[in-house]
Amino acid sequence: MSSRSPDEFRLGVRPYDQGFRGGDEPDDPHELLHRARRLTAEGHPGAGGAWERAATALRRAGGALAPGDHADALDATALDCRGAALPAAGPLFFRAADLHEQAGQRGKALVSRARALVAGPGPGGGPGPGATACARLAELRERATALHAVGQADTAETATVCLLHARARADLLDTAPDPVAEAGAVREELDRLLAFAAPHRADPAVLGVLADTLAVLGRITAPDDPAAALSRLRASIDQHRAAGRPWPATEQQLLLSAVLRTTGAYEEAATLLRATLASELPDLPLRAGDRARLCLALARTVAGAGERWRTTGGPEVADEEMPLLAESVHHSDEASDDVRVGALARLRLGVAYAERGRCREASTLLERALADFSEEGDTAARVRARAWLGDCALRLGESGRASREYALAAVEALAWDDRRHGAALSHRTADALGVAGAPEKAARAYERAADLWRAAGDHTAAARSLRARSRQVRIACGDVAAEVVLAEAAREAARGRRGSAGSRTAHDPPVGTAVPVEHARPTPVAGETRRPAHEVHSGDGTVDACDGAPTHVAAHAESESETDSRVDQGSGAGGPWPGLRELPEPCGSRGRYQVNVYGEVGGTGQRAATAAGTRVQGCE
């Protein structure tokens, strides 16, 4: 007799995780059943596999799982759903809730229903609860509190439902009218949860919920008070260990290392991540997907430390970034359930190769990353991959291919609010066309770039594009036509100088007027330099075209010097185009309180706890 219903077969996923098999596992069905129950009570990630083996042994002996055990098995299975199986988590939790009700386990049923709402599709089909699901979670929280008052739900079950509601509110912070005020309200809710559960911390299950509560507190505190966030995240990790449940702490380790990076403690962050990668339990090895994320975060940490030390003149460090990225790629391929991590690792590794002149190897990695990001829909990542592909192609002498990659990157970048990136990439497209020996096409591309700079309010950059256009016009149409373009460049440069002068005397432009991009730029950060003034030659004389503009997106658009230098086409020669560093960060910031793939608060995309390839956080 099967231990599973036909509905579970129709889900189209393997119903139980087969991993984490213990070394001395019994053969007796009842011993296997006892072991599965114990692992479930401990919140062990291996519970799903234990239930599968117990169910199989019982079926062979002519028995089947009781409704309560079957419900626990489905809960464990849903908590382990990853990648393509992630959409099955919600239905599994709902099925488990029904079985818990049949078994008279009303508290557990509420936990399963709450987990189903958290695991279900959010707005736009993405993971995580939306506002409607959050309201339903609030109703479940009230029901759990009422059941606890009459002894029909224990403290761990009630606290878990309360935490899932608070976590859902935390996920929606950036959609609130006042995110900072809403974050304060969520912190108050979490503080009340800590006060409710703390007297029962002797129960390991309750201590685990307390640890998860501190982690959420740390996450939403990090943007406003990193020091307090560090304290809470450290306490969360310590409490998971005290509860004998170290396995859910991987997310907290990533969060903690990210907050350490924001405070400049790169060495401590790197030490933490290395220890996490090295400290595997005998019966609980790190999943390939988790290892891939940890390697990716460690690569980011050592790269940030290296950049900081180079800037401040500190000690040299070994180049660990590339081996770590390669390891992340390897483990993400092995996991095959988180396209985003593998694509980002390939992109970063490809960039690292390109920076070192290994352009052919870089191109292979960048092409694969681009294909993966096309599925993921990360525009910033696609633009960066195409721009680096164009740079590699140009240095390999494949200027036609370079112009196509730059042009495709420019098209996508023009959809962003900041149009300067699209303008800079259009200028770079023209550069490649010029190297390819297509002066007419290059001239048109430079004209397009100049128009885009004008639309962005950056007349100085428009003048640079026009000056570059004049060189191509001179080749295609002669000196007279080129002088006309140079005169236009001189007029644009004058507009740029007037705009710069106005910004020094009028800090608050009239409402409704167009504000030049330079006015909105922040004060140059440490290490930012000022470019020397370039000249635009016109029939009326010599005009300053840059006026000391900062090295920024616009400044990087000019790839040819006054001596009309050409891109060195040798492999790795000449170095990358500096404007590549100005492009938006892949998986970059979209919300103040969101967590990105590196574990950074203020990051992007899907919340780490429900992103494809990560275990659904069930607050076991």
Side-chain angles (χ1 to χ4, degrees):
M1 182 175 182
S2 173
S3 61
R4 290 178 254 128
S5 70
D7 287 341
E8 291 152 36
F9 285 108
R10 284 197 290 270
L11 289 171
V13 298
R14 186 176 63 186
Y16 301 109
D17 175 38
Q18 300 286 344
F20 304 123
R21 186 185 295 270
D24 298 323
E25 192 165 81
D27 296 324
D28 180 78
H30 298 289
E31 288 295 326
L32 288 168
L33 186 60
H34 174 75
R35 185 174 184 274
R37 288 170 177 162
R38 176 175 57 80
L39 292 177
T40 295
E42 294 173 354
H44 196 289
W51 280 114
E52 170 68 2
R53 292 185 286 277
T56 300
L58 282 170
R59 185 171 61 250
R60 288 173 178 167
L65 294 175
D69 289 333
H70 192 175
D72 286 340
L74 292 177
D75 279 331
T77 302
L79 287 168
D80 252 353
C81 283
R82 292 167 171 254
L86 190 60
L92 285 170
F93 280 131
F94 278 126
R95 171 69 174 147
D98 291 340
L99 289 168
H100 281 308
E101 292 281 3
Q102 290 180 29
Q105 300 167 335
R106 299 181 66 188
K108 283 188 173 183
L110 288 180
V111 172
S112 295
R113 294 193 191 283
R115 286 171 171 167
L117 291 171
V118 170
T132 301
C134 192
R136 293 176 63 189
L137 284 165
E139 295 173 3
L140 293 178
R141 180 194 59 185
E142 298 305 318
R143 289 170 58 188
T145 303
L147 287 178
H148 182 266
V150 297
Q152 294 187 26
D154 64 28
T155 302
E157 293 160 355
T158 305
T160 297
V161 175
C162 293
L163 177 56
L164 289 169
H165 172 256
R167 183 181 282 154
R169 287 185 69 186
D171 288 346
L172 296 173
L173 283 177
D174 292 299
T175 67
D178 186 346
V180 175
E182 178 67 6
V186 176
R187 281 194 288 269
E188 290 178 4
E189 180 178 345
L190 290 166
D191 286 337
R192 289 194 297 270
L193 175 55
L194 289 174
F196 165 75
H200 308 276
R201 62 186 306 118
D203 181 350
V206 174
L207 190 55
V209 178
L210 286 169
D212 283 337
T213 304
L214 286 170
V216 178
L217 265 173
R219 169 192 158 190
I220 64 176
T221 302
D224 307 305
D225 190 349
L230 287 175
S231 174
R232 286 164 175 163
L233 290 168
R234 287 188 173 112
S236 171
I237 293 168
D238 289 343
Q239 291 194 15
H240 273 302
R241 290 171 179 158
R245 302 177 174 208
W247 40 85
T250 299
E251 287 296 329
Q252 282 87 319
Q253 301 280 13
L254 285 167
L255 278 166
L256 177 56
S257 67
V259 178
L260 286 169
R261 285 197 298 274
T262 65
T263 63
Y266 288 96
E267 186 174 349
E268 186 179 352
T271 299
L272 171 72
L273 291 169
R274 290 190 187 100
T276 305
L277 284 164
S279 61
E280 295 206 55
L281 301 176
D283 64 337
L284 187 61
L286 274 173
R287 292 180 182 273
D290 292 337
R291 186 172 286 278
R293 287 188 68 202
L294 289 164
C295 288
L296 186 62
L298 182 54
R300 187 173 182 84
T301 303
V302 298
E307 183 63 31
R308 184 186 185 197
W309 285 325
R310 282 191 294 272
T311 303
T312 60
E316 290 292 329
V317 293
D319 188 359
E320 295 181 74
E321 183 185 10
M322 289 175 62
L324 285 167
L325 291 172
E327 188 175 353
S328 181
V329 169
H330 168 73
H331 290 299
S332 64
D333 286 344
E334 182 182 342
S336 69
D337 55 10
D338 195 340
V339 173
R340 185 181 45 161
V341 171
L344 187 55
R346 280 190 175 82
L347 174 58
R348 292 197 57 188
L349 184 57
V351 169
Y353 279 156
E355 288 178 329
R356 291 157 179 80
R358 298 165 62 175
C359 292
R360 294 202 182 278
E361 295 166 277
S363 295
T364 300
L365 286 162
L366 292 168
E367 287 168 355
R368 173 73 183 276
L370 181 60
D372 289 341
F373 278 121
S374 294
E375 297 173 7
E376 272 297 292
D378 192 306
T379 306
R382 287 200 302 272
V383 168
R384 182 168 287 226
R386 286 197 184 281
W388 276 100
L389 276 169
D391 195 80
C392 288
L394 201 55
R395 287 193 280 159
L396 289 168
E398 301 169 2
S399 49
R401 180 188 174 200
S403 67
R404 289 191 295 273
E405 295 293 354
Y406 284 132
L408 289 168
V411 168
E412 292 212 66
L414 287 172
W416 299 339
D417 292 337
D418 188 347
R419 297 296 185 90
R420 293 173 299 163
H421 297 291
L425 288 163
S426 295
H427 187 114
R428 192 63 174 167
T429 303
D431 288 342
L433 288 168
V435 174
E440 293 182 355
K441 291 182 179 180
R444 288 195 295 272
Y446 282 126
E447 185 176 21
R448 169 67 169 158
D451 289 342
L452 292 169
W453 286 122
R454 285 193 196 99
D458 195 331
H459 298 285
T460 300
R464 283 195 292 271
S465 293
L466 289 170
R467 184 165 70 96
R469 180 175 183 251
S470 72
R471 289 196 289 270
Q472 300 301 321
V473 169
R474 191 180 304 278
I475 296 170
C477 303
D479 292 343
V480 175
E483 290 301 318
V484 173
V485 178
L486 280 172
E488 185 183 358
R491 290 191 291 272
E492 286 295 332
R495 292 188 189 101
R497 285 201 313 283
R498 286 196 297 270
S500 297
S503 69
R504 289 189 290 270
T505 57
H507 297 291
D508 298 311
V511 175
T513 59
V515 181
V517 173
E518 290 89 348
H519 297 179
R521 288 180 186 163
T523 303
V525 297
E528 182 177 79
T529 60
R530 297 276 174 174
R531 293 175 64 89
H534 290 278
E535 295 179 341
V536 172
H537 298 284
S538 70
D540 298 327
T542 299
V543 180
D544 177 11
C546 288
D547 196 27
T551 302
H552 204 274
V553 177
H556 292 324
E558 183 180 23
S559 64
E560 298 175 326
S561 69
E562 188 61 29
T563 58
D564 197 22
S565 65
R566 295 297 186 211
V567 177
D568 190 330
Q569 297 180 27
S571 178
W577 169 46
L580 292 165
R581 290 292 186 184
E582 302 290 347
L583 293 172
E585 179 80 11
C587 299
S589 178
R590 288 183 188 169
R592 180 180 179 84
Y593 295 101
Q594 289 190 0
V595 180
N596 69 9
V597 70
Y598 300 104
E600 295 162 345
V601 184
T604 184
Q606 305 161 358
R607 181 171 63 85
T610 54
T614 60
R615 193 163 183 261
V616 177
Q617 297 297 297
C619 315
E620 295 83 40

